[in-house]
Structure formats: C-alpha cells, structure tokens
Amino acid sequence: MTTSALLDASPASVLPGEEARIPLEIRNGGNVVEAYGFEVLGPAADWSVVEPATLSLNPGTGGQVELVVRPPRDTTVPPGELTYGVRVLPQEQPQYATVPEGVLHIRPYADFTAELTPRLGQGRTGARFQVALDNRGNYPLSVALSGKDQGDLLRFGLPSQATVVEPGRAAFVKLPVKPRRWMWRGVAVPHVFQVIAAPSPGPEGAPEVAPEPLDGSLLQRPIVSAGLLKLLIALLVLLGVLAGLWFGLLRPVVRSEAKEAVKVPVEAAESKAAEAKEAADEAKEAASAGAGGGKPGPGGSASPSASATPGTGPAPLPQAALFSYRLTPSAPAGGTAAATYTVPDGKVLRLTDLVLENPQGDAGTITLSVGDKTLLAPALENFREQDFHWASAILAGPKQKITVTLACRTVGRPPSGPAPDRCNSAVLFSGTLE
C-alpha cells in the first residue's frame, strides 16, 4: 500500500450549532509526489468538510488535515452515536484510495417553551383554557402540568399523564378551570392562578430544562345577573297583564260570541226535536189503536217497524236495550272525512242523547245526518264539548245510516303535547236499540 490514513480513535463530541475538528493523519508511502483529495461519507457528509481540501506529499512523507464537523441546531439531528468515513483519494494512483472511519457523538440540547391561552377567561361555572407545549430541541420531552391558586378556590382539569412532545413538534392540552363553589348573585370575582409546565429529565448528557410558570386568571360571574333578574321580573309582569286581559276582557267576549254562534244550530235542533216528538206521539197513538190486531213477534212483543224514518215511529218497547256508539272522523286541513253507523236489520234506534267533542280546538264544521236528513251542522270553532238531550227520541230505522261528516278548515293546537296534523273530532250518541 502506498497511502495510509488515520483518524483520531476517540469519539468526537459535538453540540448541534457548534463545530468539532478531528485530525486526519496521511502518509505517502509511494515513490512519486502525490496529491490527495477528500470526500466525507455517511450522514455527516452534508455538514462536514475537510480543511484543506487537498494535500500534496512527497514520497516517504506525511501530513495532516482536519475534518470540520458543524451539525446544524435543528430538530432533525437526533442525539447519539454517528459513524462516518473519509475517503482519501490519491490523484496519481487512485487505486490506492483508503477510507478511515470514525465515531461522532451528537449531544442532546433542549429548547422548550409553553404558553397559556387565553390569559383571562370568564364564565358562570368556569372557563376553558389551552396550554401550548413547543419542543424545539432534538429529543422528546415528557411534560407534566400542575395548577395552583390562592385559597384553593379553583379546580383544574389536568391530564392524568404527562404529555410527550416530539422534537420539532407542538402539543396542545385542553385545561378546564372551574370554581369550587358557584356564585348565585353579586359582583363578578377574579381568581388568579398559575399553571406549571415541568419537563422531565432527558437522556444522559441532556441539560436540565427549567419548568415554565404560566399565569392566568378566571373571572367568575354570578349565575343570576342583574340583567337576567330584570328580564324575569318583566316577563312575570307581562304574563300577569296578559292573564288579566284574558279573564277580564277576552274570555267573556269569546263566551258571548260562542253562545251566539251556536244559538241558531241549537234552535234548529230543538225544532227538529219538537217535530220528532210530535211524530212519535202520533206513532204511539197509532200503535195503541192497532195493538189488538198486531201480530206479536218473538217473546210476545211487536217487532220494530221496518219503515221507520228519523223522528217517527212507535213508542219504546219495554224490552228495549240501552245503546251508545262513538264515531271519530279525522281529516287533514282542507279535507273532508265521514264516519257512519248502520242500524242493524230488524232494529230501530232511538236517539235521546248526543255529545259533540272537539278536543284540539279545530276549525271547520261537523254534520250529523240520519239517512239523507241532516240534523245538526255546528261550527267546530264554537265549542270544545257540547251535548244535546231530547225528551222525544229521534228514530233511525233498520239499515238506515247515521253519518258524521267532518270538514276540516284549520287544524287546532292543543295547549300541551306535539302539534297534530289532522282535525280529530268525535260524536257520542246514545239511546235504545229495539
């Protein structure tokens, strides 16, 4: 071998941002004058040079150059052992190139900052803060948070474990701060507190990182503020005025208008009831006159008339059974719906009582018919519940239909529960079926 090169055997230590100089001994064992060039190999090549860049040696002589290592102060340069090499290349006899190797020790460094945002929080039951942890060093930091205040009046929502921040990264930790006791009324009270961000010790040789104290304050506001109290009082006064207007002025007017509105349908119903009574009396007299020639039905009583019409027919038979039935039509706004009941064949239905129900306060009309004869047609908005009672029954003969027709104009809104989407009314009629 005509060329030999030797690096310092001891590992060189360097801190990122500083430089280290490592001597490199070269000897020309050939018989010609040789010029040498140098090339740094390995991860350190980007931030290492050889000074001087070339070296000429006579035969049998030696010389020295320096490897200058300048690692940048950057988070991408991790601490630890780093192997490198320097290629020594003879210009005259390149076949005798050699590559001595060495070890470089990159030392750890720390650059840590912390920030609390916002510095001032406010609220009735507490406020939310955030701690930003920024690691500009070249090794991971494990940061523990703690909080304190004067008088121990606050509670801190601290994480249960330390937060690990990788080099060149930032971590954000949410920190809710709440007062231990609520303040119902009075003046807002400020609470000054401090959050300590304390990094744990780093790897061997790493410098100690001082904890970062972060000052903040919480302005605790009362639960019931003066403005809210005034608003509640104003609402109560307004509700009292509205209740007085309703009970003192509007309710009597509504009742009067409702009575006037149902006056005509009630008079019409009473007139029809009188006609039905008169017809029933006539039928009773006719039945009494022909009782001797009538043919008794089963059980020794006369069978119901097959030709009975609404408001006419004989008097109730002793064996007549009590009867009641409920019809519940339902229709959407602007629509019409009907519900019917058909009198059984061979039976006569005597209607004596009628109850109309409008539980939702719908608007429209509800019509009650027996066969093709309309008995009632009141407006829904004039009642929630209305009943009729007749001394002389209204008759419905065999196979005749009792029809309730609901014409929905506007769907009502009950005081509680979900808003309906259909008008819903009901008619309960009762009497005897014989």
Side-chain angles (χ1 to χ4, degrees):
M1 179 180 291
T2 61
T3 299
S4 62
L6 179 64
L7 279 169
D8 190 350
S10 61
S13 177
V14 63
L15 184 69
E18 299 180 358
E19 73 173 32
R21 291 180 173 270
I22 305 169
L24 173 60
E25 299 286 342
I26 302 169
R27 184 171 184 79
N28 181 5
N31 53 8
V32 297
V33 177
E34 188 66 82
Y36 296 95
F38 307 97
E39 180 184 1
V40 182
L41 305 177
D46 293 337
W47 28 267
S48 301
V49 295
V50 176
E51 296 180 354
T54 60
L55 178 66
S56 296
L57 295 176
N58 292 321
T61 62
Q64 179 178 294
V65 295
E66 285 186 322
L67 174 65
V68 183
V69 181
R70 299 189 183 95
R73 192 175 178 85
D74 192 280
T75 58
T76 58
V77 183
E81 302 293 336
L82 188 66
T83 302
Y84 66 93
V86 180
R87 177 181 287 130
V88 181
L89 183 62
Q91 302 298 315
E92 299 297 331
Q93 296 176 315
Q95 68 272 21
Y96 294 117
T98 183
V99 181
E101 294 182 352
V103 177
L104 185 65
H105 177 70
I106 305 295
R107 300 206 304 269
Y109 74 92
D111 188 356
F112 170 71
T113 59
E115 183 181 5
L116 177 69
T117 56
R119 300 293 295 275
L120 171 63
Q122 57 180 328
R124 292 181 173 86
T125 60
R128 288 185 176 273
F129 297 83
Q130 181 174 265
V131 180
L133 307 173
D134 192 5
N135 180 13
R136 298 188 180 95
N138 64 345
Y139 64 91
L141 284 177
S142 181
V143 184
L145 297 178
S146 61
K148 62 180 180 179
D149 68 288
Q150 294 181 356
D152 194 24
L153 301 176
L154 301 178
R155 291 183 298 174
F156 299 90
L158 298 169
S160 58
Q161 297 180 348
T163 302
V164 177
V165 188
E166 297 296 331
R169 305 294 295 272
F172 300 91
V173 181
K174 295 186 181 300
L175 178 63
V177 179
K178 299 180 179 181
R180 293 188 181 276
R181 292 185 178 181
W182 288 3
M183 183 174 63
W184 289 100
R185 59 189 180 88
V187 182
V189 176
H191 299 282
V192 178
F193 64 89
Q194 191 175 73
V195 176
I196 307 298
S200 60
E204 182 179 357
E208 182 179 355
V209 183
E212 287 277 344
L214 308 174
D215 296 326
S217 59
L218 169 66
L219 184 63
Q220 183 181 2
R221 296 164 53 193
I223 299 296
V224 181
S225 63
L228 180 59
L229 185 59
K230 291 179 180 179
L231 178 60
L232 292 175
I233 293 174
L235 288 176
L236 291 175
V237 171
L238 179 60
L239 289 176
V241 171
L242 293 177
L245 288 175
W246 169 252
F247 288 103
L249 297 177
L250 298 179
R251 187 178 181 185
V253 173
V254 171
R255 283 186 172 181
S256 177
E257 292 293 334
K259 288 181 180 179
E260 290 296 329
V262 301
K263 183 177 180 181
V264 175
V266 170
E267 291 178 351
E270 290 177 349
S271 175
K272 294 182 182 296
E275 294 176 1
K277 182 177 182 302
E278 184 179 353
D281 292 341
E282 294 176 357
K284 183 177 180 180
E285 292 177 0
S288 299
K295 187 176 181 179
S301 62
S303 2
S305 172
S307 61
T309 59
T312 64
L317 298 177
Q319 71 274 21
L322 295 178
F323 172 84
S324 64
Y325 197 84
R326 183 184 179 89
L327 296 176
T328 57
S330 176
T336 303
T340 61
Y341 170 79
T342 304
V343 179
D345 191 14
K347 298 288 185 178
V348 172
L349 176 61
R350 299 175 182 273
L351 297 179
T352 57
D353 302 275
L354 181 69
V355 179
L356 305 180
E357 297 178 1
N358 180 17
Q360 297 179 174
D362 304 323
T365 58
I366 185 165
T367 304
L368 175 67
S369 303
V370 178
D372 56 355
K373 186 174 182 180
T374 300
L375 299 184
L376 292 173
L380 290 172
E381 55 269 30
N382 293 332
F383 67 92
R384 285 298 181 94
E385 183 174 295
Q386 187 173 353
D387 58 313
F388 300 93
H389 308 281
W390 297 290
S392 297
I394 298 176
L395 302 185
K399 296 186 179 180
Q400 280 193 316
K401 292 184 177 181
I402 299 175
T403 305
V404 175
T405 304
L406 172 63
C408 179
R409 185 171 68 253
T410 305
V411 179
R413 186 179 182 89
S416 61
D421 57 355
R422 301 173 67 88
C423 290
N424 292 284
S425 298
V427 175
L428 174 66
F429 53 90
S430 59
T432 60
L433 187 64
E434 53 190 73

